[in-house]
Amino acid sequence: MSDKKMPVSLVLGSGGARGLAHIGVIRSLNDSGKYDIKSVSGSSIGALIGGLYAAGKLDVYEQWVKGLSATDVWGLLDFSFTNKGLFKGDRLMEKLGDLVGDQNIEDLDIDFTAVASDIEHRREIWLDSGPLFDAIRASIAIPGFFTPVLRDGCALVDGGLLSPLPVAPVKRIAASHMVVVSLNGGENQALNQADEEDEHDQEHQPEQKKGLQSWLLGFKKRVGLTSTEEDSDSAIDFMSKSLEAMQDRIARYQMAAYRPDTLIEIPVSACDVLDFHRAEEMIELGYKLATQAMND
């Protein structure tokens, strides 16, 4: 049966919590019975989801992430008392390690490459051997947010800085179809309609159901750290929007150089970068858009 399936090379882009839609994309491809994912490359959240899938551990991660509230997400972010980043990321990676165990990339059943950025030498680094979670940890290290990872004398940070759509690594694998998932897509009419229908419910959601940014804003109000003037954008908003603008421009060049057979675009407005408590919603969105794109 599998020899009748179309071999696929899968590229999973960067974009924070929107990357949970990658899970839905993978589910759609597998459920169709038409495709056989032979290789995966990913940057940032794409490296996390792609690595878990290649390791055969996506089910346990999906079950865990669906149970997270905004408060749970905050609890996973351990502060770093250094000038290299707000959070160390150790607590999060220890939790992920408990869920999936230790594996080396070269031992995985599916070819996998995580992409990180070497900021000192201004180059992208392909991590396709060694401990899986070391590679993932480097690829998700958002500068200023998570502390960088030292490897071979280099400080490695988020792969999305230099390669938000890491197409080049999967070109090494002979596959007849390349599927690229971008997390910086334009507006989606169906998504906008669903947002309008849920707008009233969103206003009455309890604090733990809102995004992490809302949780932080509520905390600052309670301790009197906010001004009386309403702020439309937080520091996190500006940081995430700046990264998204930069990544969108780079991704356009990457897609022009390596034209995908199928492009699946998750709208940038689907959720905020830290809204990991909206996992079920994002997975469903990824499944829907992937099914539509593959049928088209």
Short mmCIF file of all heavy atoms in Angstrom, two decimals, residues 247-275:
data_model
loop_
_atom_site.label_atom_id
_atom_site.label_comp_id
_atom_site.label_asym_id
_atom_site.label_seq_id
_atom_site.Cartn_x
_atom_site.Cartn_y
_atom_site.Cartn_z
N GLN A 247 10.64 37.79 8.64
CA GLN A 247 10.53 36.42 8.15
C GLN A 247 9.70 36.33 6.88
O GLN A 247 10.00 35.53 5.99
CB GLN A 247 9.94 35.54 9.25
CG GLN A 247 10.87 35.33 10.43
CD GLN A 247 10.22 34.57 11.57
OE1 GLN A 247 9.02 34.28 11.53
NE2 GLN A 247 10.99 34.26 12.59
N ASP A 248 8.68 37.16 6.79
CA ASP A 248 7.84 37.15 5.58
C ASP A 248 8.66 37.53 4.36
O ASP A 248 8.55 36.91 3.30
CB ASP A 248 6.67 38.11 5.78
CG ASP A 248 5.77 38.15 4.55
OD1 ASP A 248 5.16 37.11 4.22
OD2 ASP A 248 5.67 39.22 3.92
N ARG A 249 9.50 38.54 4.50
CA ARG A 249 10.32 38.97 3.36
C ARG A 249 11.31 37.88 2.95
O ARG A 249 11.48 37.58 1.77
CB ARG A 249 11.06 40.27 3.73
CG ARG A 249 12.00 40.79 2.64
CD ARG A 249 11.24 41.07 1.34
NE ARG A 249 10.24 42.08 1.53
CZ ARG A 249 10.44 43.39 1.34
NH1 ARG A 249 11.64 43.81 0.99
NH2 ARG A 249 9.45 44.23 1.48
N ILE A 250 11.98 37.27 3.94
CA ILE A 250 12.94 36.20 3.63
C ILE A 250 12.24 35.01 3.00
O ILE A 250 12.72 34.41 2.03
CB ILE A 250 13.70 35.77 4.90
CG1 ILE A 250 14.51 36.93 5.46
CG2 ILE A 250 14.61 34.58 4.61
CD1 ILE A 250 15.17 36.63 6.79
N ALA A 251 11.06 34.66 3.54
CA ALA A 251 10.31 33.51 3.03
C ALA A 251 9.93 33.69 1.57
O ALA A 251 9.90 32.73 0.80
CB ALA A 251 9.07 33.27 3.88
N ARG A 252 9.63 34.92 1.17
CA ARG A 252 9.27 35.18 -0.23
C ARG A 252 10.44 34.85 -1.15
O ARG A 252 10.26 34.28 -2.23
CB ARG A 252 8.85 36.64 -0.40
CG ARG A 252 7.52 36.98 0.26
CD ARG A 252 7.21 38.46 0.15
NE ARG A 252 6.02 38.81 0.89
CZ ARG A 252 4.79 38.78 0.39
NH1 ARG A 252 4.61 38.39 -0.87
NH2 ARG A 252 3.75 39.13 1.11
N TYR A 253 11.63 35.22 -0.73
CA TYR A 253 12.82 34.90 -1.53
C TYR A 253 13.06 33.39 -1.56
O TYR A 253 13.46 32.84 -2.60
CB TYR A 253 14.04 35.61 -0.95
CG TYR A 253 14.07 37.10 -1.22
CD1 TYR A 253 13.98 38.01 -0.18
CD2 TYR A 253 14.20 37.59 -2.52
CE1 TYR A 253 14.00 39.38 -0.42
CE2 TYR A 253 14.22 38.96 -2.77
CZ TYR A 253 14.13 39.84 -1.71
OH TYR A 253 14.14 41.20 -1.95
N GLN A 254 12.85 32.72 -0.42
CA GLN A 254 13.05 31.28 -0.38
C GLN A 254 12.09 30.54 -1.31
O GLN A 254 12.48 29.60 -1.99
CB GLN A 254 12.91 30.77 1.06
CG GLN A 254 14.06 31.19 1.96
CD GLN A 254 13.93 30.65 3.37
OE1 GLN A 254 12.93 30.91 4.04
NE2 GLN A 254 14.93 29.90 3.81
N MET A 255 10.83 30.96 -1.32
CA MET A 255 9.86 30.30 -2.19
C MET A 255 10.12 30.60 -3.66
O MET A 255 9.81 29.80 -4.54
CB MET A 255 8.44 30.71 -1.80
CG MET A 255 7.95 30.01 -0.55
SD MET A 255 6.20 30.28 -0.21
CE MET A 255 6.20 31.99 0.29
N ALA A 256 10.69 31.78 -3.94
CA ALA A 256 11.04 32.10 -5.33
C ALA A 256 12.19 31.24 -5.81
O ALA A 256 12.24 30.84 -6.98
CB ALA A 256 11.39 33.58 -5.44
N ALA A 257 13.12 30.94 -4.91
CA ALA A 257 14.29 30.12 -5.27
C ALA A 257 13.94 28.64 -5.35
O ALA A 257 14.45 27.92 -6.22
CB ALA A 257 15.41 30.35 -4.26
N TYR A 258 13.10 28.18 -4.44
CA TYR A 258 12.70 26.77 -4.40
C TYR A 258 11.17 26.70 -4.46
O TYR A 258 10.50 26.74 -3.43
CB TYR A 258 13.18 26.11 -3.10
CG TYR A 258 14.66 26.19 -2.87
CD1 TYR A 258 15.20 27.18 -2.06
CD2 TYR A 258 15.52 25.25 -3.43
CE1 TYR A 258 16.56 27.24 -1.81
CE2 TYR A 258 16.88 25.31 -3.20
CZ TYR A 258 17.40 26.31 -2.39
OH TYR A 258 18.74 26.37 -2.15
N ARG A 259 10.67 26.60 -5.64
CA ARG A 259 9.21 26.63 -5.80
C ARG A 259 8.58 25.33 -5.29
O ARG A 259 8.88 24.26 -5.80
CB ARG A 259 8.84 26.85 -7.27
CG ARG A 259 9.26 28.21 -7.80
CD ARG A 259 8.79 28.43 -9.23
NE ARG A 259 9.19 29.73 -9.72
CZ ARG A 259 8.49 30.85 -9.52
NH1 ARG A 259 7.37 30.79 -8.83
NH2 ARG A 259 8.91 31.99 -9.99
N PRO A 260 7.69 25.43 -4.29
CA PRO A 260 7.05 24.21 -3.76
C PRO A 260 5.98 23.70 -4.71
O PRO A 260 5.40 24.47 -5.49
CB PRO A 260 6.43 24.70 -2.45
CG PRO A 260 6.15 26.15 -2.68
CD PRO A 260 7.27 26.64 -3.56
N ASP A 261 5.71 22.41 -4.65
CA ASP A 261 4.60 21.85 -5.42
C ASP A 261 3.27 22.24 -4.79
O ASP A 261 2.30 22.50 -5.49
CB ASP A 261 4.72 20.32 -5.48
CG ASP A 261 5.98 19.88 -6.20
OD1 ASP A 261 6.11 20.18 -7.39
OD2 ASP A 261 6.85 19.27 -5.55
N THR A 262 3.25 22.26 -3.47
CA THR A 262 2.05 22.68 -2.75
C THR A 262 2.45 23.62 -1.62
O THR A 262 3.34 23.31 -0.84
CB THR A 262 1.29 21.48 -2.15
OG1 THR A 262 0.87 20.61 -3.21
CG2 THR A 262 0.06 21.95 -1.37
N LEU A 263 1.79 24.78 -1.57
CA LEU A 263 2.03 25.75 -0.51
C LEU A 263 0.78 25.85 0.36
O LEU A 263 -0.31 26.12 -0.13
CB LEU A 263 2.37 27.12 -1.09
CG LEU A 263 2.50 28.27 -0.07
CD1 LEU A 263 3.65 28.00 0.89
CD2 LEU A 263 2.67 29.60 -0.80
N ILE A 264 0.94 25.60 1.65
CA ILE A 264 -0.15 25.72 2.62
C ILE A 264 0.17 26.93 3.49
O ILE A 264 1.22 26.97 4.14
CB ILE A 264 -0.29 24.46 3.48
CG1 ILE A 264 -0.56 23.25 2.59
CG2 ILE A 264 -1.39 24.63 4.52
CD1 ILE A 264 -0.43 21.92 3.32
N GLU A 265 -0.71 27.92 3.51
CA GLU A 265 -0.46 29.15 4.25
C GLU A 265 -1.41 29.28 5.43
O GLU A 265 -2.63 29.31 5.26
CB GLU A 265 -0.60 30.36 3.33
CG GLU A 265 0.44 30.42 2.24
CD GLU A 265 0.38 31.71 1.46
OE1 GLU A 265 -0.54 31.85 0.63
OE2 GLU A 265 1.24 32.59 1.67
N ILE A 266 -0.83 29.37 6.61
CA ILE A 266 -1.60 29.62 7.83
C ILE A 266 -1.63 31.14 8.04
O ILE A 266 -0.57 31.76 8.10
CB ILE A 266 -0.96 28.93 9.05
CG1 ILE A 266 -0.70 27.44 8.76
CG2 ILE A 266 -1.84 29.12 10.28
CD1 ILE A 266 -1.93 26.64 8.40
N PRO A 267 -2.80 31.75 8.15
CA PRO A 267 -2.87 33.21 8.29
C PRO A 267 -2.10 33.71 9.51
O PRO A 267 -2.18 33.12 10.59
CB PRO A 267 -4.37 33.48 8.44
CG PRO A 267 -5.04 32.30 7.82
CD PRO A 267 -4.13 31.13 8.10
N VAL A 268 -1.36 34.79 9.32
CA VAL A 268 -0.59 35.36 10.42
C VAL A 268 -1.50 35.85 11.53
O VAL A 268 -1.09 35.97 12.69
CB VAL A 268 0.31 36.49 9.89
CG1 VAL A 268 -0.52 37.71 9.53
CG2 VAL A 268 1.38 36.84 10.89
N SER A 269 -2.77 36.12 11.20
CA SER A 269 -3.73 36.61 12.19
C SER A 269 -4.43 35.47 12.94
O SER A 269 -5.30 35.73 13.78
CB SER A 269 -4.79 37.46 11.49
OG SER A 269 -5.48 36.70 10.51
N ALA A 270 -4.06 34.23 12.66
CA ALA A 270 -4.77 33.09 13.25
C ALA A 270 -4.68 33.09 14.77
O ALA A 270 -5.64 32.77 15.47
CB ALA A 270 -4.23 31.78 12.69
N CYS A 271 -3.50 33.43 15.31
CA CYS A 271 -3.34 33.54 16.77
C CYS A 271 -2.06 34.29 17.06
O CYS A 271 -1.23 34.49 16.17
CB CYS A 271 -3.36 32.17 17.44
SG CYS A 271 -1.84 31.19 17.23
N ASP A 272 -1.89 34.71 18.30
CA ASP A 272 -0.67 35.39 18.71
C ASP A 272 0.46 34.38 18.88
O ASP A 272 0.23 33.18 19.05
CB ASP A 272 -0.89 36.15 20.01
CG ASP A 272 -1.79 37.37 19.83
OD1 ASP A 272 -1.80 37.92 18.71
OD2 ASP A 272 -2.47 37.75 20.79
N VAL A 273 1.67 34.89 18.88
CA VAL A 273 2.85 34.03 18.87
C VAL A 273 2.95 33.14 20.11
O VAL A 273 3.54 32.05 20.06
CB VAL A 273 4.12 34.90 18.71
CG1 VAL A 273 4.36 35.75 19.94
CG2 VAL A 273 5.34 34.04 18.39
N LEU A 274 2.36 33.54 21.23
CA LEU A 274 2.46 32.77 22.46
C LEU A 274 1.16 32.08 22.85
O LEU A 274 1.05 31.56 23.97
CB LEU A 274 2.91 33.69 23.61
CG LEU A 274 4.31 34.28 23.48
CD1 LEU A 274 4.58 35.24 24.63
CD2 LEU A 274 5.36 33.19 23.43
N ASP A 275 0.20 32.02 21.96
CA ASP A 275 -1.11 31.43 22.28
C ASP A 275 -1.11 29.90 22.17
O ASP A 275 -1.93 29.32 21.46
CB ASP A 275 -2.19 32.01 21.36
CG ASP A 275 -2.61 33.40 21.77
OD1 ASP A 275 -2.14 33.88 22.82
OD2 ASP A 275 -3.41 34.02 21.05
#
